[in-house]
Amino acid sequence: AQSVTQPDIHITVSEGASLELRCNYSYGATPYLFWYVQSPGQGLQLLLKYFSGDTLVQGIKGFEAEFKRSQSSFNLRKPSVHWSDAAEYFCAVGAGNTPLVFGKGTRLSVIA
Amino acid sequence: GAGVSQTPSNKVTEKGKYVELRCDPISGHTALYWYRQSLGQGPEFLIYFQGTGAADDSGLPNDRFFAVRPEGSVSTLKIQRTERGDSAVYLCASSYGTANYGYTFGSGTRLTVV
């Protein structure tokens, strides 16, 4: 069965600093990987997704993620964080007709 | 519609009561998913519809939970004899085809059982 681990429960970064959120997955075949963002009281919004091809994928709001098969990782990055990026971030894995499995999330705080 | 709509946005009910939560997916999306999100946790899968039929209901925690999608569009999640442990945000998502396309989520229904 698929599983997703997000090792960091909470991360605090300064505005303008770079960001990397970690995600490790477990899946027997080539997975489809996703990052979602959830602002307080809101539903989840898709940031980006990886299916195949180029292992570096670009998403909305200046985010990117890199798929590393050898490390079973799909880390999310942003070169310069804005205060509006403060939110909860979820990594998810899926394939075929199986529903997505989500990690427990990483809460991002941004300080001035 | 333009997005996934969930009603009500908030529901407070007494322990032991019956509740219904509604999800109106994006028009044309054949797949519909229900997830439950407890405080500080990621979404946990409950049930998935492809068209009118439940393709996978392995996430339903017990037989108090039931969901329908009679015409392949709107879905209703039904919870009987609610318990305080059922308190959570119930999220609905839809997608065109399978999960690989990525889901579009609604804003959720916050259920509080008192």
Side-chain angles (χ1 to χ4, degrees), chain A residues 12-13 15 25 34-35 40 43-46 48 54 58 60 66 70-71 77-78 84 102 112:
Chain A
T12 300
V13 300
E15 191 169 16
Y25 68 89
F34 304 81
W35 275 99
L44 282 80
Q45 181 184 21
L46 180 65
L48 47 79
D54 192 347
Q58 303 297 320
I60 62 171
E66 186 171 14
S70 62
Q71 298 177 18
R77 301 194 294 248
K78 186 169 184 177
S84 60
F102 287 83

Side-chain angles (χ1 to χ4, degrees), chain A residues 32 36 38 49 51 96-97 100, chain B residues 35 37 98 100-101 103 106:
Chain A
Y32 300 127
Y36 284 84
Q38 186 178 36
K49 56 189 177 186
F51 290 166
N97 292 323
L100 295 186
Chain B
Y35 282 77
Q37 187 176 22
T98 63
N100 309 336
Y101 288 86
Y103 300 162

Side-chain angles (χ1 to χ4, degrees), chain A residues 29-107:
Chain A
T30 300
Y32 300 127
L33 295 158
F34 304 81
W35 275 99
Y36 284 84
V37 61
Q38 186 178 36
S39 298
Q42 302 297 311
L44 282 80
Q45 181 184 21
L46 180 65
L47 283 176
L48 47 79
K49 56 189 177 186
Y50 170 79
F51 290 166
S52 64
D54 192 347
T55 56
L56 184 63
V57 294
Q58 303 297 320
I60 62 171
K61 305 185 180 187
F63 286 93
E64 66 178 27
E66 186 171 14
F67 171 57
K68 293 185 177 180
R69 184 188 302 276
S70 62
Q71 298 177 18
S72 297
S73 69
F74 188 57
N75 293 350
L76 181 71
R77 301 194 294 248
K78 186 169 184 177
S80 178
V81 169
H82 187 262
W83 65 267
S84 60
D85 293 324
E88 189 93 21
Y89 290 80
F90 294 95
C91 182
V93 63
N97 292 323
T98 61
L100 295 186
V101 173
F102 287 83
K104 295 191 175 191
T106 297
R107 183 161 62 94

